Short mmCIF file of all heavy atoms in Angstrom, two decimals:
data_model
loop_
_atom_site.label_atom_id
_atom_site.label_comp_id
_atom_site.label_asym_id
_atom_site.label_seq_id
_atom_site.Cartn_x
_atom_site.Cartn_y
_atom_site.Cartn_z
N MET M 20 -16.83 27.57 -16.88
CA MET M 20 -16.12 26.85 -15.81
C MET M 20 -17.06 26.70 -14.61
O MET M 20 -17.73 27.66 -14.25
CB MET M 20 -14.87 27.64 -15.42
CG MET M 20 -13.96 26.89 -14.51
SD MET M 20 -12.29 27.58 -14.48
CE MET M 20 -12.52 29.10 -13.59
N PRO M 21 -17.12 25.54 -14.01
CA PRO M 21 -18.02 25.36 -12.86
C PRO M 21 -17.54 26.14 -11.65
O PRO M 21 -16.37 26.50 -11.54
CB PRO M 21 -17.95 23.86 -12.59
CG PRO M 21 -16.69 23.39 -13.21
CD PRO M 21 -16.37 24.31 -14.34
N THR M 22 -18.48 26.40 -10.76
CA THR M 22 -18.12 27.01 -9.50
C THR M 22 -17.81 25.90 -8.51
O THR M 22 -18.60 24.97 -8.35
CB THR M 22 -19.30 27.83 -8.96
OG1 THR M 22 -19.68 28.75 -9.96
CG2 THR M 22 -18.92 28.58 -7.70
N LEU M 23 -16.69 26.00 -7.89
CA LEU M 23 -16.25 24.95 -6.99
C LEU M 23 -15.70 25.60 -5.74
O LEU M 23 -14.85 26.49 -5.83
CB LEU M 23 -15.16 24.15 -7.69
CG LEU M 23 -14.69 22.87 -7.04
CD1 LEU M 23 -15.83 21.87 -7.00
CD2 LEU M 23 -13.54 22.29 -7.83
N LYS M 24 -16.20 25.16 -4.59
CA LYS M 24 -15.74 25.76 -3.34
C LYS M 24 -15.57 24.70 -2.28
O LYS M 24 -16.33 23.74 -2.23
CB LYS M 24 -16.80 26.74 -2.82
CG LYS M 24 -16.69 28.11 -3.41
CD LYS M 24 -17.64 29.05 -2.70
CE LYS M 24 -18.02 30.19 -3.62
NZ LYS M 24 -19.28 30.80 -3.26
N VAL M 25 -14.61 24.90 -1.41
CA VAL M 25 -14.48 24.05 -0.24
C VAL M 25 -14.78 24.91 0.99
O VAL M 25 -14.20 25.98 1.15
CB VAL M 25 -13.07 23.46 -0.10
CG1 VAL M 25 -12.92 22.69 1.20
CG2 VAL M 25 -12.73 22.56 -1.28
N ASP M 26 -15.70 24.45 1.80
CA ASP M 26 -16.00 25.13 3.06
C ASP M 26 -14.99 24.62 4.09
O ASP M 26 -15.08 23.49 4.58
CB ASP M 26 -17.43 24.81 3.49
CG ASP M 26 -17.81 25.54 4.77
OD1 ASP M 26 -16.91 25.94 5.54
OD2 ASP M 26 -19.02 25.69 5.01
N GLN M 27 -14.01 25.46 4.39
CA GLN M 27 -12.92 24.99 5.26
C GLN M 27 -13.37 24.82 6.71
O GLN M 27 -12.71 24.14 7.48
CB GLN M 27 -11.73 25.94 5.15
CG GLN M 27 -11.20 25.94 3.71
CD GLN M 27 -9.73 26.29 3.62
OE1 GLN M 27 -9.20 26.98 4.49
NE2 GLN M 27 -9.08 25.82 2.58
N GLU M 28 -14.48 25.42 7.05
CA GLU M 28 -15.05 25.18 8.39
C GLU M 28 -15.53 23.75 8.51
O GLU M 28 -15.41 23.11 9.55
CB GLU M 28 -16.23 26.11 8.64
CG GLU M 28 -15.90 27.59 8.61
CD GLU M 28 -15.18 28.02 9.87
OE1 GLU M 28 -15.71 27.77 10.97
OE2 GLU M 28 -14.07 28.58 9.77
N LYS M 29 -16.10 23.25 7.43
CA LYS M 29 -16.65 21.89 7.45
C LYS M 29 -15.61 20.81 7.20
O LYS M 29 -15.73 19.69 7.68
CB LYS M 29 -17.73 21.76 6.36
CG LYS M 29 -19.06 22.38 6.68
CD LYS M 29 -20.06 21.92 5.62
CE LYS M 29 -21.40 22.57 5.76
NZ LYS M 29 -22.25 22.23 4.58
N CYS M 30 -14.62 21.11 6.39
CA CYS M 30 -13.64 20.11 5.98
C CYS M 30 -12.95 19.51 7.19
O CYS M 30 -12.49 20.23 8.08
CB CYS M 30 -12.60 20.76 5.06
SG CYS M 30 -11.24 19.67 4.62
N ILE M 31 -12.89 18.18 7.22
CA ILE M 31 -12.22 17.49 8.34
C ILE M 31 -10.86 16.96 7.91
O ILE M 31 -10.22 16.19 8.62
CB ILE M 31 -13.09 16.34 8.90
CG1 ILE M 31 -13.48 15.37 7.77
CG2 ILE M 31 -14.32 16.90 9.61
CD1 ILE M 31 -14.10 14.06 8.26
N GLY M 32 -10.44 17.33 6.71
CA GLY M 32 -9.10 16.98 6.27
C GLY M 32 -8.90 15.53 5.90
O GLY M 32 -7.79 15.00 6.00
N CYS M 33 -9.96 14.87 5.45
CA CYS M 33 -9.83 13.44 5.14
C CYS M 33 -8.94 13.21 3.91
O CYS M 33 -8.38 12.14 3.75
CB CYS M 33 -11.19 12.80 4.93
SG CYS M 33 -11.94 13.22 3.36
N GLY M 34 -8.83 14.20 3.06
CA GLY M 34 -7.92 14.08 1.93
C GLY M 34 -8.50 13.38 0.71
O GLY M 34 -7.82 13.22 -0.30
N LEU M 35 -9.74 12.96 0.79
CA LEU M 35 -10.34 12.22 -0.32
C LEU M 35 -10.37 13.03 -1.62
O LEU M 35 -10.01 12.52 -2.68
CB LEU M 35 -11.76 11.80 0.07
CG LEU M 35 -12.48 10.91 -0.94
CD1 LEU M 35 -11.86 9.51 -0.95
CD2 LEU M 35 -13.96 10.81 -0.63
N CYS M 36 -10.78 14.28 -1.51
CA CYS M 36 -10.88 15.09 -2.73
C CYS M 36 -9.52 15.24 -3.40
O CYS M 36 -9.41 15.08 -4.62
CB CYS M 36 -11.49 16.45 -2.42
SG CYS M 36 -10.67 17.35 -1.10
N ALA M 37 -8.50 15.50 -2.62
CA ALA M 37 -7.17 15.67 -3.20
C ALA M 37 -6.64 14.37 -3.78
O ALA M 37 -5.90 14.38 -4.77
CB ALA M 37 -6.21 16.22 -2.15
N SER M 38 -7.04 13.24 -3.20
CA SER M 38 -6.56 11.99 -3.78
C SER M 38 -7.36 11.60 -5.01
O SER M 38 -6.84 11.01 -5.94
CB SER M 38 -6.52 10.86 -2.74
OG SER M 38 -7.81 10.47 -2.41
N MET M 39 -8.65 11.96 -5.05
CA MET M 39 -9.46 11.66 -6.24
C MET M 39 -9.08 12.58 -7.39
O MET M 39 -9.16 12.20 -8.55
CB MET M 39 -10.96 11.86 -5.94
CG MET M 39 -11.60 10.73 -5.14
SD MET M 39 -13.34 11.09 -4.75
CE MET M 39 -14.19 10.51 -6.22
N CYS M 40 -8.67 13.77 -7.07
CA CYS M 40 -8.55 14.79 -8.10
C CYS M 40 -7.44 15.76 -7.73
O CYS M 40 -7.69 16.90 -7.34
CB CYS M 40 -9.89 15.49 -8.16
SG CYS M 40 -10.26 16.14 -9.73
N ALA M 41 -6.21 15.30 -7.90
CA ALA M 41 -5.05 16.08 -7.44
C ALA M 41 -4.81 17.35 -8.24
O ALA M 41 -4.14 18.26 -7.77
CB ALA M 41 -3.81 15.20 -7.45
N GLU M 42 -5.35 17.40 -9.45
CA GLU M 42 -5.13 18.61 -10.25
C GLU M 42 -6.00 19.76 -9.78
O GLU M 42 -5.70 20.92 -10.04
CB GLU M 42 -5.46 18.33 -11.72
CG GLU M 42 -4.49 17.42 -12.39
CD GLU M 42 -4.82 17.27 -13.87
OE1 GLU M 42 -6.01 17.19 -14.21
OE2 GLU M 42 -3.88 17.23 -14.65
N VAL M 43 -7.08 19.44 -9.12
CA VAL M 43 -8.05 20.46 -8.74
C VAL M 43 -7.96 20.84 -7.27
O VAL M 43 -8.02 22.01 -6.92
CB VAL M 43 -9.48 20.00 -9.09
CG1 VAL M 43 -10.51 20.98 -8.56
CG2 VAL M 43 -9.63 19.83 -10.59
N PHE M 44 -7.78 19.83 -6.41
CA PHE M 44 -7.77 20.09 -4.96
C PHE M 44 -6.37 19.87 -4.40
O PHE M 44 -5.63 19.01 -4.86
CB PHE M 44 -8.71 19.12 -4.24
CG PHE M 44 -10.14 19.24 -4.65
CD1 PHE M 44 -10.66 18.43 -5.64
CD2 PHE M 44 -10.98 20.17 -4.05
CE1 PHE M 44 -12.00 18.54 -6.03
CE2 PHE M 44 -12.31 20.29 -4.43
CZ PHE M 44 -12.82 19.47 -5.43
N GLU M 45 -6.05 20.65 -3.39
CA GLU M 45 -4.81 20.38 -2.66
C GLU M 45 -5.08 20.59 -1.17
O GLU M 45 -6.03 21.27 -0.79
CB GLU M 45 -3.67 21.29 -3.14
CG GLU M 45 -3.89 22.75 -2.83
CD GLU M 45 -2.79 23.63 -3.41
OE1 GLU M 45 -1.86 23.10 -4.02
OE2 GLU M 45 -2.89 24.85 -3.21
N MET M 46 -4.22 20.00 -0.37
CA MET M 46 -4.36 20.13 1.08
C MET M 46 -3.45 21.25 1.56
O MET M 46 -2.31 21.35 1.14
CB MET M 46 -3.99 18.81 1.79
CG MET M 46 -4.80 17.60 1.36
SD MET M 46 -6.60 17.83 1.47
CE MET M 46 -6.83 17.87 3.25
N THR M 47 -3.97 22.08 2.46
CA THR M 47 -3.14 23.15 3.01
C THR M 47 -2.32 22.59 4.18
O THR M 47 -2.54 21.45 4.60
CB THR M 47 -4.04 24.30 3.54
OG1 THR M 47 -4.84 23.78 4.61
CG2 THR M 47 -4.94 24.83 2.45
N ASP M 48 -1.42 23.40 4.71
CA ASP M 48 -0.58 22.95 5.82
C ASP M 48 -1.39 22.59 7.05
O ASP M 48 -0.98 21.75 7.85
CB ASP M 48 0.44 24.03 6.19
CG ASP M 48 1.50 24.18 5.10
OD1 ASP M 48 1.62 23.25 4.27
OD2 ASP M 48 2.19 25.21 5.09
N ASP M 49 -2.54 23.25 7.21
CA ASP M 49 -3.36 22.89 8.37
C ASP M 49 -4.42 21.83 8.01
O ASP M 49 -5.45 21.71 8.66
CB ASP M 49 -3.99 24.12 9.03
CG ASP M 49 -4.78 24.98 8.05
OD1 ASP M 49 -4.72 24.69 6.84
OD2 ASP M 49 -5.46 25.93 8.49
N LEU M 50 -4.13 21.06 6.97
CA LEU M 50 -4.95 19.92 6.57
C LEU M 50 -6.41 20.25 6.26
O LEU M 50 -7.33 19.56 6.70
CB LEU M 50 -4.87 18.79 7.62
CG LEU M 50 -3.51 18.10 7.70
CD1 LEU M 50 -3.52 17.01 8.75
CD2 LEU M 50 -3.09 17.52 6.34
N LYS M 51 -6.56 21.28 5.51
CA LYS M 51 -7.86 21.60 4.94
C LYS M 51 -7.69 21.55 3.42
O LYS M 51 -6.63 21.91 2.91
CB LYS M 51 -8.32 23.01 5.34
CG LYS M 51 -8.41 23.24 6.83
CD LYS M 51 -9.64 22.59 7.39
CE LYS M 51 -9.74 22.83 8.89
NZ LYS M 51 -10.93 22.19 9.45
N ALA M 52 -8.76 21.13 2.76
CA ALA M 52 -8.67 21.12 1.31
C ALA M 52 -8.91 22.51 0.77
O ALA M 52 -9.66 23.29 1.35
CB ALA M 52 -9.71 20.17 0.75
N ARG M 53 -8.26 22.80 -0.35
CA ARG M 53 -8.62 24.04 -1.04
C ARG M 53 -8.59 23.79 -2.55
O ARG M 53 -7.95 22.85 -3.03
CB ARG M 53 -7.75 25.21 -0.62
CG ARG M 53 -6.37 25.19 -1.13
CD ARG M 53 -5.62 26.46 -0.73
NE ARG M 53 -4.45 26.60 -1.60
CZ ARG M 53 -4.41 27.36 -2.69
NH1 ARG M 53 -5.43 28.11 -3.03
NH2 ARG M 53 -3.34 27.39 -3.44
N VAL M 54 -9.32 24.64 -3.26
CA VAL M 54 -9.39 24.50 -4.70
C VAL M 54 -8.15 25.15 -5.30
O VAL M 54 -7.89 26.33 -5.07
CB VAL M 54 -10.66 25.16 -5.26
CG1 VAL M 54 -10.68 25.08 -6.77
CG2 VAL M 54 -11.90 24.50 -4.68
N LYS M 55 -7.40 24.35 -6.02
CA LYS M 55 -6.17 24.83 -6.63
C LYS M 55 -6.45 25.38 -8.03
O LYS M 55 -6.00 26.43 -8.41
CB LYS M 55 -5.20 23.65 -6.68
CG LYS M 55 -3.88 23.89 -7.30
CD LYS M 55 -2.91 22.77 -6.97
CE LYS M 55 -3.27 21.44 -7.63
NZ LYS M 55 -2.20 20.43 -7.48
N ASP M 56 -7.25 24.61 -8.79
CA ASP M 56 -7.50 25.00 -10.18
C ASP M 56 -8.82 24.40 -10.67
O ASP M 56 -8.86 23.26 -11.13
CB ASP M 56 -6.33 24.52 -11.04
CG ASP M 56 -6.44 25.03 -12.47
OD1 ASP M 56 -7.44 25.70 -12.80
OD2 ASP M 56 -5.52 24.76 -13.25
N ALA M 57 -9.88 25.18 -10.54
CA ALA M 57 -11.20 24.68 -10.92
C ALA M 57 -11.32 24.42 -12.42
O ALA M 57 -12.18 23.65 -12.86
CB ALA M 57 -12.29 25.66 -10.47
N SER M 58 -10.45 25.01 -13.20
CA SER M 58 -10.55 24.82 -14.65
C SER M 58 -10.24 23.38 -15.05
O SER M 58 -10.63 22.92 -16.12
CB SER M 58 -9.61 25.77 -15.39
OG SER M 58 -8.27 25.39 -15.21
N LYS M 59 -9.56 22.64 -14.16
CA LYS M 59 -9.23 21.24 -14.46
C LYS M 59 -10.39 20.30 -14.20
O LYS M 59 -10.31 19.11 -14.46
CB LYS M 59 -8.01 20.80 -13.63
CG LYS M 59 -6.76 21.56 -13.93
CD LYS M 59 -6.05 20.96 -15.13
CE LYS M 59 -4.93 21.81 -15.72
NZ LYS M 59 -4.03 22.40 -14.79
N CYS M 60 -11.47 20.85 -13.66
CA CYS M 60 -12.66 20.05 -13.38
C CYS M 60 -13.19 19.30 -14.57
O CYS M 60 -13.77 18.25 -14.44
CB CYS M 60 -13.78 20.96 -12.92
SG CYS M 60 -13.99 20.94 -11.19
N GLU M 61 -13.03 19.91 -15.72
CA GLU M 61 -13.63 19.30 -16.90
C GLU M 61 -12.65 18.38 -17.61
O GLU M 61 -12.94 17.89 -18.69
CB GLU M 61 -14.17 20.38 -17.83
CG GLU M 61 -15.50 20.91 -17.29
CD GLU M 61 -15.72 22.37 -17.55
OE1 GLU M 61 -14.81 23.01 -18.13
OE2 GLU M 61 -16.77 22.88 -17.18
N SER M 62 -11.51 18.16 -17.02
CA SER M 62 -10.56 17.27 -17.68
C SER M 62 -10.99 15.82 -17.50
O SER M 62 -11.79 15.49 -16.63
CB SER M 62 -9.16 17.49 -17.12
OG SER M 62 -9.08 16.96 -15.82
N GLU M 63 -10.44 14.96 -18.33
CA GLU M 63 -10.76 13.54 -18.31
C GLU M 63 -10.51 12.91 -16.94
O GLU M 63 -11.25 12.05 -16.49
CB GLU M 63 -9.88 12.81 -19.33
CG GLU M 63 -10.30 13.04 -20.75
CD GLU M 63 -11.60 12.33 -21.09
OE1 GLU M 63 -11.63 11.11 -20.92
OE2 GLU M 63 -12.56 13.00 -21.50
N SER M 64 -9.44 13.39 -16.29
CA SER M 64 -9.00 12.72 -15.07
C SER M 64 -9.82 13.10 -13.85
O SER M 64 -9.66 12.53 -12.78
CB SER M 64 -7.53 13.04 -14.82
OG SER M 64 -7.39 14.43 -14.68
N CYS M 65 -10.71 14.08 -13.99
CA CYS M 65 -11.39 14.56 -12.79
C CYS M 65 -12.89 14.73 -13.00
O CYS M 65 -13.31 15.45 -13.91
CB CYS M 65 -10.78 15.88 -12.35
SG CYS M 65 -11.53 16.45 -10.83
N ASP M 66 -13.65 14.09 -12.16
CA ASP M 66 -15.10 14.29 -12.17
C ASP M 66 -15.45 14.99 -10.85
O ASP M 66 -15.72 14.36 -9.84
CB ASP M 66 -15.77 12.92 -12.28
CG ASP M 66 -17.29 13.04 -12.19
OD1 ASP M 66 -17.80 14.17 -12.06
OD2 ASP M 66 -17.95 12.00 -12.25
N CYS M 67 -15.40 16.30 -10.90
CA CYS M 67 -15.56 17.09 -9.67
C CYS M 67 -16.92 16.91 -9.02
O CYS M 67 -17.05 17.03 -7.81
CB CYS M 67 -15.33 18.56 -9.95
SG CYS M 67 -13.59 18.94 -10.00
N LYS M 68 -17.91 16.63 -9.83
CA LYS M 68 -19.24 16.43 -9.27
C LYS M 68 -19.24 15.21 -8.34
O LYS M 68 -19.76 15.26 -7.23
CB LYS M 68 -20.24 16.23 -10.40
CG LYS M 68 -21.64 16.45 -9.99
CD LYS M 68 -22.55 16.43 -11.19
CE LYS M 68 -23.99 16.51 -10.73
NZ LYS M 68 -24.91 16.21 -11.81
N SER M 69 -18.62 14.14 -8.79
CA SER M 69 -18.52 12.94 -7.94
C SER M 69 -17.68 13.19 -6.71
O SER M 69 -17.98 12.69 -5.63
CB SER M 69 -17.86 11.78 -8.69
OG SER M 69 -18.56 11.50 -9.84
N VAL M 70 -16.62 13.98 -6.88
CA VAL M 70 -15.78 14.29 -5.73
C VAL M 70 -16.61 15.03 -4.69
O VAL M 70 -16.59 14.70 -3.50
CB VAL M 70 -14.55 15.14 -6.15
CG1 VAL M 70 -13.73 15.51 -4.93
CG2 VAL M 70 -13.70 14.38 -7.14
N ALA M 71 -17.37 16.02 -5.15
CA ALA M 71 -18.21 16.79 -4.22
C ALA M 71 -19.21 15.89 -3.51
O ALA M 71 -19.42 16.01 -2.30
CB ALA M 71 -18.93 17.90 -4.98
N GLU M 72 -19.77 14.94 -4.24
CA GLU M 72 -20.73 14.03 -3.63
C GLU M 72 -20.06 13.05 -2.67
O GLU M 72 -20.70 12.50 -1.78
CB GLU M 72 -21.50 13.26 -4.72
CG GLU M 72 -22.53 14.14 -5.38
CD GLU M 72 -23.06 13.58 -6.71
OE1 GLU M 72 -22.66 12.45 -7.07
OE2 GLU M 72 -23.85 14.28 -7.35
N SER M 73 -18.78 12.81 -2.88
CA SER M 73 -18.07 11.83 -2.05
C SER M 73 -17.54 12.39 -0.75
O SER M 73 -17.20 11.64 0.16
CB SER M 73 -16.88 11.25 -2.83
OG SER M 73 -17.32 10.65 -4.01
N CYS M 74 -17.45 13.70 -0.65
CA CYS M 74 -16.92 14.28 0.59
C CYS M 74 -17.81 13.86 1.76
O CYS M 74 -19.03 14.07 1.72
CB CYS M 74 -16.88 15.80 0.48
SG CYS M 74 -16.41 16.59 2.04
N PRO M 75 -17.22 13.27 2.80
CA PRO M 75 -18.03 12.73 3.90
C PRO M 75 -18.78 13.79 4.70
O PRO M 75 -19.76 13.47 5.39
CB PRO M 75 -17.01 12.01 4.78
CG PRO M 75 -15.69 12.61 4.43
CD PRO M 75 -15.78 13.01 2.99
N VAL M 76 -18.34 15.02 4.63
CA VAL M 76 -19.01 16.08 5.41
C VAL M 76 -19.65 17.15 4.53
O VAL M 76 -19.99 18.24 5.01
CB VAL M 76 -18.04 16.72 6.44
CG1 VAL M 76 -17.66 15.73 7.51
CG2 VAL M 76 -16.80 17.27 5.75
N ASP M 77 -19.79 16.84 3.24
CA ASP M 77 -20.43 17.79 2.31
C ASP M 77 -19.80 19.18 2.33
O ASP M 77 -20.49 20.18 2.33
CB ASP M 77 -21.93 17.94 2.63
CG ASP M 77 -22.72 16.77 2.07
OD1 ASP M 77 -22.28 16.20 1.06
OD2 ASP M 77 -23.77 16.44 2.67
N ALA M 78 -18.48 19.20 2.37
CA ALA M 78 -17.79 20.49 2.44
C ALA M 78 -17.57 21.10 1.06
O ALA M 78 -17.20 22.26 0.96
CB ALA M 78 -16.45 20.32 3.15
N ILE M 79 -17.83 20.31 0.00
CA ILE M 79 -17.52 20.80 -1.34
C ILE M 79 -18.80 21.20 -2.07
O ILE M 79 -19.76 20.43 -2.13
CB ILE M 79 -16.78 19.73 -2.16
CG1 ILE M 79 -15.52 19.28 -1.42
CG2 ILE M 79 -16.42 20.28 -3.54
CD1 ILE M 79 -14.84 18.08 -2.06
N THR M 80 -18.82 22.41 -2.57
CA THR M 80 -19.95 22.88 -3.38
C THR M 80 -19.53 22.88 -4.83
O THR M 80 -18.51 23.47 -5.19
CB THR M 80 -20.32 24.33 -3.00
OG1 THR M 80 -20.43 24.41 -1.59
CG2 THR M 80 -21.63 24.75 -3.64
N TYR M 81 -20.31 22.22 -5.63
CA TYR M 81 -20.05 22.18 -7.07
C TYR M 81 -21.28 22.66 -7.80
O TYR M 81 -22.38 22.19 -7.55
CB TYR M 81 -19.72 20.76 -7.51
CG TYR M 81 -19.59 20.59 -9.00
CD1 TYR M 81 -18.37 20.76 -9.62
CD2 TYR M 81 -20.69 20.26 -9.78
CE1 TYR M 81 -18.24 20.63 -10.99
CE2 TYR M 81 -20.56 20.11 -11.16
CZ TYR M 81 -19.34 20.30 -11.76
OH TYR M 81 -19.21 20.17 -13.11
N GLN M 82 -21.09 23.61 -8.68
CA GLN M 82 -22.22 24.14 -9.46
C GLN M 82 -21.80 24.26 -10.91
O GLN M 82 -20.76 24.87 -11.20
CB GLN M 82 -22.60 25.51 -8.93
CG GLN M 82 -24.03 25.55 -8.47
CD GLN M 82 -24.33 26.87 -7.75
OE1 GLN M 82 -23.50 27.77 -7.68
NE2 GLN M 82 -25.53 26.96 -7.24
N GLU M 83 -22.60 23.68 -11.79
CA GLU M 83 -22.29 23.74 -13.23
C GLU M 83 -22.29 25.19 -13.71
O GLU M 83 -23.10 25.96 -13.28
CB GLU M 83 -23.31 22.97 -14.05
CG GLU M 83 -23.58 21.60 -13.52
CD GLU M 83 -22.91 20.51 -14.35
OE1 GLU M 83 -22.27 20.82 -15.37
OE2 GLU M 83 -23.04 19.35 -13.96
FE1 F3S Q 51 -12.14 17.94 3.26
FE2 F3S Q 51 -14.11 16.74 2.14
FE3 F3S Q 51 -11.88 17.03 0.85
S1 F3S Q 51 -13.50 16.57 4.26
S2 F3S Q 51 -10.33 16.98 2.45
S3 F3S Q 51 -13.22 18.65 1.51
S4 F3S Q 51 -13.23 15.29 0.71
#
Protein backbone atom coordinates (compact mmCIF):
# COMPACT_ATOMS: atom_id res chain seq x y z
CA MET A 1 0.00 0.00 0.00
CA PRO A 2 1.42 3.43 -0.85
CA THR A 3 2.25 5.98 1.78
CA LEU A 4 -0.09 8.90 1.52
CA LYS A 5 -0.11 11.96 3.72
CA VAL A 6 -1.72 15.36 3.78
CA ASP A 7 0.23 18.16 5.42
CA GLN A 8 -2.59 20.00 7.13
CA GLU A 9 -0.38 23.02 7.73
CA LYS A 10 -0.03 23.46 3.98
CA CYS A 11 -3.54 22.48 2.91
CA ILE A 12 -5.64 25.50 1.96
CA GLY A 13 -8.86 23.51 1.80
CA CYS A 14 -9.43 23.78 -1.93
CA GLY A 15 -11.16 20.41 -1.91
CA LEU A 16 -9.63 19.19 -5.16
CA CYS A 17 -8.27 15.96 -3.71
CA ALA A 18 -11.58 15.02 -2.14
CA SER A 19 -13.44 15.75 -5.35
CA MET A 20 -10.94 13.81 -7.50
CA CYS A 21 -10.83 10.89 -5.15
CA ALA A 22 -13.64 10.76 -2.63
CA GLU A 23 -12.85 7.24 -1.48
CA VAL A 24 -9.40 8.21 -0.29
CA PHE A 25 -9.61 11.84 0.86
CA GLU A 26 -12.17 13.64 2.94
CA MET A 27 -12.49 17.17 4.23
CA THR A 28 -12.52 17.79 7.97
CA ASP A 29 -14.86 20.26 9.66
CA ASP A 30 -12.14 22.88 9.62
CA LEU A 31 -11.74 22.41 5.85
CA LYS A 32 -8.52 20.51 5.74
CA ALA A 33 -8.10 17.37 3.74
CA ARG A 34 -7.27 14.14 5.43
CA VAL A 35 -6.58 10.64 4.25
CA LYS A 36 -9.58 8.46 4.91
CA ASP A 37 -8.45 5.20 3.32
CA ALA A 38 -5.12 4.93 1.53
CA SER A 39 -5.87 1.36 0.52
CA LYS A 40 -8.31 2.71 -2.08
CA CYS A 41 -5.44 4.43 -3.87
CA GLU A 42 -4.95 1.50 -6.13
CA SER A 43 -8.57 1.25 -7.16
CA GLU A 44 -9.67 2.02 -10.70
CA SER A 45 -11.45 5.18 -9.65
CA CYS A 46 -8.46 6.84 -8.01
CA ASP A 47 -5.05 7.81 -9.25
CA CYS A 48 -3.54 9.16 -6.06
CA LYS A 49 -0.28 10.07 -7.72
CA SER A 50 -2.08 12.50 -10.03
CA VAL A 51 -4.08 13.85 -7.14
CA ALA A 52 -0.88 14.55 -5.22
CA GLU A 53 0.58 16.30 -8.25
CA SER A 54 -2.59 18.34 -8.70
CA CYS A 55 -2.71 19.82 -5.22
CA PRO A 56 -2.03 23.55 -5.74
CA VAL A 57 0.11 23.84 -2.60
CA ASP A 58 1.87 20.45 -2.72
CA ALA A 59 0.31 19.39 0.56
CA ILE A 60 -0.02 15.74 -0.45
CA THR A 61 2.87 13.30 -0.20
CA TYR A 62 2.54 10.12 -2.18
CA GLN A 63 5.12 7.38 -2.08
CA GLU A 64 4.87 4.02 -3.81
FE1 LIG B 1 -5.82 20.61 0.53
FE2 LIG B 1 -4.43 20.16 -1.59
FE3 LIG B 1 -6.50 18.68 -1.06
S1 LIG B 1 -4.96 22.14 -0.75
S2 LIG B 1 -7.89 20.06 0.00
S3 LIG B 1 -4.65 18.82 0.15
S4 LIG B 1 -5.82 19.28 -3.07
